[in-house]
């Protein structure tokens, strides 16, 4: 076990970068703070976090172009030789806006934009692993209610989810669209489509069936949610980060699935016999054979990119 890692399991810090630094203190890019709604930020403010809070999937290629251009000119970064870890979680705002334009925010459009984004990274960024985090079930967010202005604004920025009546056709359609986003993303990534010698895009599915955090009386634990009743607090992000870490070191078919965010996730330590991030996709019998592509932690984590979209 890596020195201090076992102690870290009991005192988890604010982001995945803190764990990665245990394996490589020279890590570049961990984000020291969150991004702001609708506003790109500078590297000095948020490190390699190129997300713009509130954006839809149709904006993701612009964010990736900004990321690539930054990497090519960033002092101390060897664009060709340094390994990169990119993490993406996007699509929930598309679901929030689905009823406003069912073509622009359709599952087809979502997959088209994701394919374009992943193609851009695969074709232009060498030595990269992309964690694509599965979208979580969104219906329980309707229950998040706080006496805050932000929570009232949720009725506007996620009106397609919040406004429909319970059991209404509109809500049932949106729940099915949520599931279709998950199914289509799984289909896109469970192949060798985004896999080559120095690149892999891996679906990390731990949130796919995640239930909301609840108190013993069955009500939602609001300490997991910020004042806008949509995004997670540090407490929530800690669980998201731990779930992602565990999935990265679990093979296809054995990745941990969170039942509820209310149950603290126990971090795993990469075993000595396989201290790698799993990247090999699930390949059908008709697909060409692939060489198992996994990278040692100590050589991989020379850079860390947060590209989250919550």
């Amino acid at each position: 076990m890596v020195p201090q890692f076992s102690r870290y399991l009991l005192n988890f810090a604010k982001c995945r970068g803190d764990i990665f630094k245990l394996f490589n203190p020279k890590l570049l890019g961990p984000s020291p703070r969150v991004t702001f709604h609708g506003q790109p930020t500078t590297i000095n403010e948020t490190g390699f976090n190129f997300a713009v809070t509130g954006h839809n999937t149709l904006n993701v290629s612009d964010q990736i172009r900004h990321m690539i251009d930054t990497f090519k000119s960033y002092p101390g970064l060897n664009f060709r030789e340094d390994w990169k870890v990119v993490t993406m979680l996007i699509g929930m705002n598309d679901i929030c806006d689905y009823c406003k334009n069912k073509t622009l925010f359709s599952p087809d459009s979502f997959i088209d934009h994701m394919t374009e984004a992943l193609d851009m990274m695969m074709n232009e960024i060498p030595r990269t692993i992309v964690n694509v985090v599965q979208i979580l079930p969104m219906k329980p967010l309707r229950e998040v209610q706080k006496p805050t202005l932000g929570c009232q604004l949720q009725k506007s920025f996620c009106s397609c989810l919040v406004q429909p009546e319970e059991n209404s056709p509109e809500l049932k359609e949106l729940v099915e669209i949520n599931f279709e986003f998950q199914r289509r993303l799984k289909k896109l990534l469970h192949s060798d489509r985004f896999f080559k010698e120095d690149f892999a895009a891996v679906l990390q599915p731990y949130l796919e069936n995640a239930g909301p955090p609840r108190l013993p009386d069955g009500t939602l634990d609001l300490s997991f949610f910020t004042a806008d009743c949509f995004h997670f607090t540090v407490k929530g992000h800690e669980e998201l980060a731990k779930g992602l870490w565990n999935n990265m070191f679990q093979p296809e078919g054995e990745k941990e699935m969170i039942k509820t965010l209310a149950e603290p996730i126990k971090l795993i330590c990469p075993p000595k016999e396989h201290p790698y991030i799993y990247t090999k996709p699930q390949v059908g019998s008709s697909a060409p054979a692939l060489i198992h592509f996994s990278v040692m932690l100590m050589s991989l984590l020379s850079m860390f990119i947060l590209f989250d979209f919550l």
Side-chain angles (χ1 to χ4, degrees), residues 1-53:
M1 181 172 286
V2 175
Q4 298 183 337
F5 189 84
S6 58
R7 186 171 62 204
Y8 228 66
L9 301 180
L10 301 175
N11 186 24
F12 187 73
K14 62 184 177 182
C15 71
R16 293 175 295 281
D18 292 315
I19 307 179
F20 285 137
K21 283 183 178 180
L22 294 175
F23 295 89
N24 189 343
K26 297 181 180 180
L27 191 73
L28 296 178
S31 179
R33 58 185 295 187
V34 299
T35 57
F36 298 101
H37 185 81
Q39 298 179 349
T41 54
T42 67
I43 292 178
N44 290 337
E45 291 177 304
T46 58
F48 290 157
N49 185 348
F50 297 96
V52 180
T53 303

Side-chain angles (χ1 to χ4, degrees), residues 185-195 200-203 205 208 250-255 278-293:
L185 189 59
K186 186 184 300 184
K187 181 179 179 180
L188 178 67
L189 291 169
H190 279 190
S191 70
D192 60 350
R193 173 71 172 79
F194 299 105
F195 184 87
V202 185
L203 181 66
E208 183 172 330
Q250 294 163 335
E252 184 68 35
E254 299 180 25
K255 293 184 181 291
Y278 279 91
T279 58
K280 186 175 181 180
Q282 178 178 311
V283 182
S285 58
S286 61
L290 294 174
I291 299 174
H292 189 105
F293 167 50

Side-chain angles (χ1 to χ4, degrees), residues 16 85-89 129-136 182 185-186 189-190 200-209 240-241 243-258 276-280:
R16 293 175 295 281
V85 179
V86 178
T87 297
M88 300 178 66
L89 171 56
I129 293 175
V130 182
N131 293 310
V132 182
V133 178
Q134 181 62 282
I135 298 169
L136 52 75
Q182 292 181 327
L185 189 59
K186 186 184 300 184
L189 291 169
H190 279 190
V202 185
L203 181 66
Q204 308 298 7
Y206 64 102
L207 291 178
E208 183 172 330
N209 303 314
L240 297 184
L244 173 58
W245 172 268
N246 288 354
N247 268 190
M248 289 170 65
F249 297 99
Q250 294 163 335
E252 184 68 35
E254 299 180 25
K255 293 184 181 291
E256 178 183 17
M257 306 287 277
I258 295 176
Y276 310 104
I277 294 175
Y278 279 91
T279 58
K280 186 175 181 180

Side-chain angles (χ1 to χ4, degrees), residues 3-282:
Q4 298 183 337
F5 189 84
S6 58
R7 186 171 62 204
Y8 228 66
L9 301 180
L10 301 175
N11 186 24
F12 187 73
K14 62 184 177 182
C15 71
R16 293 175 295 281
D18 292 315
I19 307 179
F20 285 137
K21 283 183 178 180
L22 294 175
F23 295 89
N24 189 343
K26 297 181 180 180
L27 191 73
L28 296 178
S31 179
R33 58 185 295 187
V34 299
T35 57
F36 298 101
H37 185 81
Q39 298 179 349
T41 54
T42 67
I43 292 178
N44 290 337
E45 291 177 304
T46 58
F48 290 157
N49 185 348
F50 297 96
V52 180
T53 303
H55 270 192
N56 300 95
T57 311
L58 60 87
N59 308 114
V60 70
S61 290
D62 292 336
Q63 296 179 33
I64 291 174
R65 172 54 56 202
H66 174 49
M67 178 180 74
I68 294 172
D69 292 344
T70 300
F71 289 167
K72 289 181 176 179
S73 61
Y74 189 79
L77 191 160
N78 188 324
F79 182 72
R80 292 292 171 189
E81 298 299 324
D82 286 341
W83 281 94
K84 304 98 180 163
V85 179
V86 178
T87 297
M88 300 178 66
L89 171 56
I90 192 167
M92 295 171 67
N93 288 322
D94 295 47
I95 295 170
C96 281
D97 291 335
Y98 172 72
C99 66
K100 301 172 186 176
N101 190 324
K102 294 184 179 182
T103 300
L104 186 62
F105 302 115
S106 68
D108 285 342
S109 180
F110 169 66
I111 290 300
D112 286 346
H113 291 305
M114 286 297 297
T115 300
E116 179 185 9
L118 292 170
D119 271 335
M120 185 184 300
M121 286 189 281
M122 183 170 68
N123 294 331
E124 298 189 37
I125 314 178
R127 294 196 167 193
T128 301
I129 293 175
V130 182
N131 293 310
V132 182
V133 178
Q134 181 62 282
I135 298 169
L136 52 75
M138 293 180 61
K139 184 181 177 184
L141 291 175
R142 289 165 51 89
E143 300 177 51
V144 184
Q145 297 296 326
K146 289 184 175 184
T148 62
L149 175 60
C151 203
Q152 292 300 312
L153 291 175
Q154 186 198 46
K155 296 178 181 179
S156 174
F157 71 73
C158 199
S159 58
C160 299
L161 175 68
V162 177
Q163 296 286 16
E165 296 292 330
E166 191 69 23
N167 298 319
S168 66
E170 294 80 8
L171 181 59
K172 291 178 179 178
E173 180 183 6
L174 193 70
V175 170
E176 179 56 34
I177 288 296
N178 193 163
F179 290 150
E180 185 63 14
F181 270 51
Q182 292 181 327
R183 288 190 290 264
R184 296 287 295 277
L185 189 59
K186 186 184 300 184
K187 181 179 179 180
L188 178 67
L189 291 169
H190 279 190
S191 70
D192 60 350
R193 173 71 172 79
F194 299 105
F195 184 87
K196 62 179 184 177
E197 184 179 7
D198 68 343
F199 182 92
V202 185
L203 181 66
Q204 308 298 7
Y206 64 102
L207 291 178
E208 183 172 330
N209 303 314
R214 295 188 183 277
L215 298 170
D217 64 2
T219 60
L220 286 187
D221 185 346
L222 298 181
S223 66
F224 279 82
F225 300 94
T226 61
D228 68 5
C229 298
F230 187 79
H231 294 91
F232 286 111
T233 58
V234 170
K235 183 177 180 179
H237 275 288
E238 285 183 353
E239 298 307 310
L240 297 184
K242 289 188 287 186
L244 173 58
W245 172 268
N246 288 354
N247 268 190
M248 289 170 65
F249 297 99
Q250 294 163 335
E252 184 68 35
E254 299 180 25
K255 293 184 181 291
E256 178 183 17
M257 306 287 277
I258 295 176
K259 294 181 180 179
T260 171
L261 292 171
E263 298 177 2
I265 298 171
K266 183 179 179 181
L267 280 172
I268 63 173
C269 185
K272 292 181 179 180
E273 61 273 15
H274 196 282
Y276 310 104
I277 294 175
Y278 279 91
T279 58
K280 186 175 181 180
Q282 178 178 311

